[in-house]
Amino acid sequence: GINAEDMGEARWRYTLLDLYQDTLLALKPLPADHPYRRGVENMTLKYQALVQAAKDEEWEDVENAIGLGQVEQLIVQAQNELRLIGDVNAWKLWETDETVLDRMDASFRTSIGGNYSRRAYEKMADIEEEQLKLDALQQEVEMEAARVPKADAAKTA
């Protein structure tokens, strides 16, 4: 694997700063209000600031401040995040268009086998049906609770 000492004291900083800058640029096509974009952007800005503030020989301080492993692991994590951003952008999770969701389902089914999409939609329908039953029962309970005090008041009068 990569070793900070083998990279030279200054190179680890430039590698991370470049990755963090690339990450921030890669996030631009995603909607500004999307939770994934906001989370990765905030995390990246925080880590970028820590790396920028550190001197070349302070890589251990950065490791401790970020708390996610050694510099070498931070580099791999940043590379992986950058790749994931490309996938998230391709998936367009913020769209509710059924064709996009169907494409994602088809991709997922291919990777795990079976008809995941159909089972998921059936389960959602079951949950919605149960919710309707619960709502009807709640209405009955509320109507009964409203009727009971009236009956008690009629008995005492």
Side-chain angles (χ1 to χ4, degrees):
I2 307 167
N3 184 306
E5 291 179 30
D6 292 343
M7 291 179 70
E9 290 182 347
R11 191 157 167 236
W12 70 268
R13 283 184 74 242
Y14 297 118
T15 301
L16 276 174
L17 289 172
D18 284 347
L19 284 166
Y20 293 150
Q21 189 60 39
D22 291 347
T23 298
L24 293 171
L25 291 173
L27 288 168
K28 294 290 183 198
L30 279 62
D33 62 341
H34 191 268
Y36 174 76
R37 176 180 170 171
R38 287 194 324 258
V40 172
E41 216 165 36
N42 289 337
M43 175 189 68
T44 302
L45 288 169
K46 176 183 171 185
Y47 297 168
Q48 185 181 48
L50 288 168
V51 172
Q52 284 174 336
K55 293 184 173 74
D56 292 340
E57 66 277 0
E58 296 177 338
W59 51 271
E60 288 177 329
D61 294 338
V62 170
E63 292 173 347
N64 292 332
I66 293 177
L68 294 174
Q70 297 175 338
V71 166
E72 301 81 20
Q73 293 167 309
L74 297 176
I75 290 169
V76 171
Q77 290 166 11
Q79 292 167 336
N80 290 341
E81 192 70 58
L82 197 51
R83 279 191 290 277
L84 181 59
I85 292 168
D87 290 340
V88 169
N89 193 27
W91 295 333
K92 301 203 181 305
L93 298 174
W94 50 89
E95 292 182 2
T96 57
D97 179 15
E98 289 299 316
T99 59
V100 172
L101 296 176
D102 288 343
R103 276 197 317 264
M104 288 176 57
D105 284 340
S107 172
F108 185 67
R109 279 195 310 272
T110 302
S111 67
I112 66 163
N115 193 341
Y116 174 81
S117 176
R118 183 179 52 78
R119 290 192 314 256
Y121 287 124
E122 287 171 359
K123 191 60 151 171
M124 287 172 39
D126 291 346
I127 291 170
E128 289 172 1
E129 185 178 318
E130 290 298 316
Q131 185 61 50
L132 290 173
K133 289 177 185 176
L134 286 171
D135 291 345
L137 284 171
Q138 182 64 36
Q139 284 179 341
E140 287 180 33
V141 167
E142 289 171 2
M143 289 191 314
E144 185 65 24
R147 192 174 58 82
V148 169
K150 292 178 187 173
D152 289 343
K155 288 180 187 176
T156 57

